[in-house]
Amino acid sequence: MKRIGLTGIALALLMFGNSAAVFAQGNKDHEKHDKQEKGDKKDKGEKKNDDAAAQEQARQQALQAQQALQAQQAQQALQAQQAQQQALQAQQAQQQALQAQQAQQRANQQQQAAQQPRQGRQRAQQGAVNQQQQIEQQRQQQLAAQRQQELARQQQQQVIAAEQQQAIQYQSALNQQLRLVQQQNAQLQQQNRRSQYQFQQQYAQELQQQQSRIQNERNYAYDRDPYYRTTSTYRYTVNGSTRRTNRYGADVLRQAINYGYEQGYRAGEADRLDHWGYKCSESFAYRDANYGYRGRYVSQSDYNYYFRQGFRRGYEDSYYRRAKYGRRSNGRTTIFSVTLSGILNLRVIR
């Protein structure tokens, strides 16, 4: 259409008698316009090419990203497969180990079952040996116990024999002491010591009663007395020599101190009432020191020693009217327990 328009324009110019210069100018303008139109088409073509290249690049990048993702997924799948294979291998190894252990246990059981008859014979033989050894050990223990019992019985018989001899000697000593007390009483009457004479008469009566009790105990059942079956549990010292005794002997020694304090208190009171001088050791009761003794459990000399210990303290308290070692209350004379313990000084045998 554009070419038709130009042809029309040219014809018109020819018709109207336009000059050639005008036509030439128009032709130049037409050429210029064509060039511009071709440039625009070229620019549009290049732009289209650029857009296509960009789209192709984007498609390539998307394709690469998809391929990378697929590769990553494939790698993960491969790793998961490898992990599964490793777990399967570990499970198989564990099962194999368990089977091997079970096989070993069965082998051990079979071996033990095969050895049981031999082990049973060995155990039976060892059991018989052990039983024989136990029987022999029990027999030896019984023999040792019998020897110990026999030794204890012999020692007991020796102690009993010594006690019987001691009782006989004590009875003879009492007969002599009763004769001496009668002589002492006559002397007290001459000295007009009435209070001391009364005290000594009472003391002599007690000695006579003790003599009667000892005569009545000629057939004393020593073998039934628990003293002779009880081991020594205490130590005490008399004049530097150590003695041993049990609780029955300890009670007799305490009794000696108590009786000594009581009789000493009465003797001291009698000398004070008679206006006599302090003559503790001259008292017949002090020299005799057998008051309350029955001839058993402890020696006569030990009993005499502790009796005199109590006597001196009782005499001193009464003569000087004080309560240093004991006291009198309601007509009864008692030594303090701390004084008694200090005199006796029993020590437990460890």
Side-chain angles (χ1 to χ4, degrees), residues 2 13 34 82 145 147 159 168 173 188 192-193 210 220 277 299 340:
K2 291 180 179 180
L13 292 175
D34 287 341
Q82 291 176 351
R147 288 194 295 268
V159 173
I168 295 173
L188 291 175
N192 197 25
R193 297 171 61 185
Q210 289 179 202
Y220 182 77
S299 68
L340 189 149

Side-chain angles (χ1 to χ4, degrees), residues 246-304:
N246 54 29
R247 61 186 181 92
Y248 298 99
D251 289 340
V252 172
L253 296 178
R254 294 188 186 96
Q255 174 182 290
I257 298 173
N258 279 317
Y259 280 155
Y261 183 84
E262 178 186 2
Q263 297 303 311
Y265 200 97
R266 294 179 61 192
E269 182 180 40
D271 281 346
R272 176 170 52 80
L273 293 175
D274 289 338
H275 304 287
W276 199 256
Y278 187 98
K279 303 292 183 179
C280 173
S281 59
E282 293 182 1
S283 172
F284 175 82
Y286 179 85
R287 295 198 302 270
D288 175 69
N290 287 309
Y291 185 96
Y293 183 59
R294 302 183 65 178
R296 290 193 297 273
Y297 298 176
V298 297
S299 68
Q300 183 179 353
S301 61
D302 287 357
Y303 188 95
N304 296 157

